[in-house]
Amino acid sequence: MIPFLDLKAQARTIGREIDVAIARAVGDERSARRLEAGAFEERFADYCNVGCCRAVNSGASALHLALLAAGVGPGDEVITVSMNFVATTAAIIRCRATPVFVDVDPITWTMNPSLIEAAITKKTKAILPAQLHGLMADMDPIMSIARRHGLFVIEDAAQAHGAEYKSKRAGSIGDLGCFSFYPDKNLGAYGEAGAVVTDHPELARRVSQLLDRAQGGERNHVLARYDDRMDEVQAAVLNVKMDYIESWTEARRSIAAQYDQALSSRARAHPRPPSHSRHVYHIYALRHPHRDEALEMLRGAGIGVGIHYAVPVHLQKSYVELGYRVGDLPVSERLASEFLSLPVYPELLPDRPSVVASELKKIAAPEAQVFRSDWAFQNKMPRHGLVA
Ligand SMILES: *Cc1c(COP(=O)(O)O)cnc(C)c1O
């Protein structure tokens, strides 16, 4: 058995250290002073290289608060991607704004900047790219389009702790960055947790205003206050894990490199991060022309595999009222039918990636077929010139 994720293995290495940290954090009145959360905010802001981090109770809350801080409200439009976890679209709708989906690039699988301008209207307020699977979207053109049109950029960095684009950390390029620390993320709490980061003092003030009971030391409560702060237990867990995040990220990258190498004959099917990007491999996904078959067979061989994501958000039942149809976002839809995620986590034993890769090769379609279908796909699809 090779599980898709093994949180017990991580608990075996640092579980005791975390138990001690939790006991220290919550045993007495310290816990009401939010010392752990405060310490975590400082550390995570440093890690992302931004001036401000606010610790919250989930990635979904982080997205909601970031959108509110950017002034997104009823009637506004937010340009985002459909090849992503549904929470992002849900956060936009929670602000009573309308998500407007653009397709992703067929090579990087992230927001295709060349499609953004055609989606901008008078109602557009923000652009919300996702750093899918741990790879940064092409942020330079996204930022320059946003600046030209006076729009906010909010990064959904929930899968991208420590990812980099041209030496800049995830969360630090957009006006606001949103993280999740759900247990299965690269940096995971023991339950729900998230963070909003920003380098803009005014946006930092607005996020804090939405979170805190009283502002400026006055006992003057803000009208709409969101009970979204991170609790001390989660902060204590995360403060311990911050010591390990860099070595864990490097472990993920080295497992990914093993997969890349083992699957190099299928070069067009595995992730190809641009050389200026640091991919942190929250998910190691590849494209397989016979995905469902491959999924079945790998599971049959005792290998935990997944799909991220099998139904793009614009085709999810809960969002039919947005009015999208099959064919509207051809790259996202194609990826949804081909994506297959392999096990990638720091505790994966060193010999496992090659075991997984050889199982996969046994059942892979003939090489020629993989290539043919792939070239047709790439030649037909709009493509941003990100990868040399
Ligand atoms: C996990 C995740 C979220 C939501 O985070 P929660 O902490 O589960 O609310 C949002 N976006 C992406 C891309 C995610 O992976």
Side-chain angles (χ1 to χ4, degrees):
M1 277 296 294
I2 305 179
F4 184 68
L5 180 70
D6 188 356
L7 291 176
K8 269 194 186 147
Q10 193 181 77
R12 276 196 293 276
T13 63
I14 59 164
R16 280 190 58 88
E17 200 182 336
I18 289 178
D19 291 346
V20 170
I22 292 174
R24 194 180 53 222
V26 301
D28 54 30
E29 57 294 338
R30 272 174 54 102
S31 59
R33 287 158 53 205
R34 306 192 75 252
L35 300 176
E36 291 286 339
F40 175 72
E41 285 174 338
E42 274 185 32
R43 277 185 91 172
F44 199 68
D46 268 3
Y47 184 73
C48 297
N49 201 20
V50 292
C52 171
C53 166
R54 290 310 311 265
V56 298
N57 61 3
S58 71
S61 296
L63 287 159
H64 182 223
L65 287 167
L67 286 161
L68 291 176
V72 172
D76 292 333
E77 292 177 356
V78 177
I79 296 173
T80 192
V81 284
S82 172
M83 176 41 69
N84 193 18
F85 187 52
V86 288
T88 313
T89 295
I92 295 167
I93 288 172
R94 193 174 165 202
C95 297
R96 294 200 281 143
T98 305
V100 174
F101 298 115
V102 294
D103 216 343
V104 292
D105 180 279
I107 308 265
T108 64
W109 311 333
T110 57
M111 182 179 274
N112 186 336
S114 68
L115 302 175
I116 295 173
E117 269 184 310
I120 295 176
T121 72
K122 285 201 173 66
K123 296 177 182 168
T124 309
K125 194 77 176 233
I127 305 175
L128 207 174
Q131 322 300 18
L132 188 76
H133 299 164
L135 177 64
M136 298 292 286
D138 193 7
M139 294 304 292
D140 277 353
I142 293 174
M143 292 308 294
S144 67
I145 293 165
R147 292 300 169 251
R148 222 164 32 245
H149 293 270
L151 306 174
F152 284 97
V153 174
I154 300 171
E155 292 178 52
D156 179 355
Q159 305 188 347
H161 319 75
E164 287 176 12
Y165 174 88
K166 300 184 180 175
S167 307
K168 293 189 195 124
R169 280 270 158 110
S172 73
I173 303 174
D175 300 297
L176 296 138
C178 303
F179 290 87
S180 165
F181 309 115
Y182 197 70
D184 63 1
K185 298 291 156 84
N186 287 22
L187 180 67
Y190 271 10
E192 303 279 351
V196 183
V197 301
T198 179
D199 211 24
H200 298 260
E202 174 54 23
L203 290 173
R205 196 186 63 80
R206 284 192 229 168
V207 172
S208 296
Q209 202 176 74
L210 290 162
L211 272 176
D212 295 333
R213 249 169 243 284
Q215 6 164 349
E218 299 163 34
R219 291 284 138 193
N220 200 0
H221 293 209
V222 289
L223 260 182
R225 178 190 164 263
Y226 295 87
D227 264 303
D228 285 348
R229 295 186 302 185
M230 183 187 287
D231 70 70
E232 286 291 276
V233 172
Q234 309 311 332
V237 172
L238 292 171
N239 279 328
V240 172
K241 291 195 179 188
M242 280 303 288
D243 290 340
Y244 298 90
I245 179 71
E246 276 306 288
S247 63
W248 285 340
T249 299
E250 283 310 315
R252 285 175 182 274
R253 286 168 53 77
S254 98
I255 292 162
Q258 280 176 264
Y259 281 139
D260 284 348
Q261 207 192 1
L263 300 166
S264 60
S265 62
R266 287 158 186 82
R268 305 209 159 265
H270 67 69
R272 280 177 295 155
S275 57
H276 58 63
S277 279
R278 182 192 195 212
H279 194 325
V280 296
Y281 296 98
H282 170 59
I283 297 289
Y284 186 97
L286 48 84
R287 289 172 38 204
H288 198 290
H290 306 294
R291 190 269 314 279
D292 293 338
E293 238 174 282
L295 187 89
E296 281 292 296
M297 293 175 81
L298 285 168
R299 283 189 176 152
I303 296 167
V305 284
I307 303 176
H308 301 83
Y309 293 92
V311 181
V313 180
H314 73 287
L315 299 180
Q316 300 253 350
K317 282 207 191 84
S318 39
Y319 295 122
V320 280
E321 76 275 15
L322 294 174
Y324 289 85
R325 285 161 204 273
V326 174
D328 284 346
L329 301 169
V331 182
S332 300
E333 292 167 26
R334 171 85 186 250
L335 293 174
S337 71
E338 293 184 345
F339 267 163
L340 178 68
S341 317
L342 306 182
V344 56
Y345 43 94
E347 299 78 16
L348 193 66
L349 297 173
D351 62 324
R352 296 301 197 246
S354 68
V355 174
V356 175
S358 57
E359 281 300 324
L360 185 68
K361 279 183 180 162
K362 270 190 221 161
I363 57 182
E367 220 98 312
Q369 199 181 342
V370 177
F371 276 105
R372 219 178 314 115
S373 87
D374 205 75
W375 277 116
F377 176 49
Q378 266 153 31
N379 292 338
K380 217 165 56 209
M381 298 304 165
R383 191 195 146 188
H384 188 74
L386 186 66
V387 181

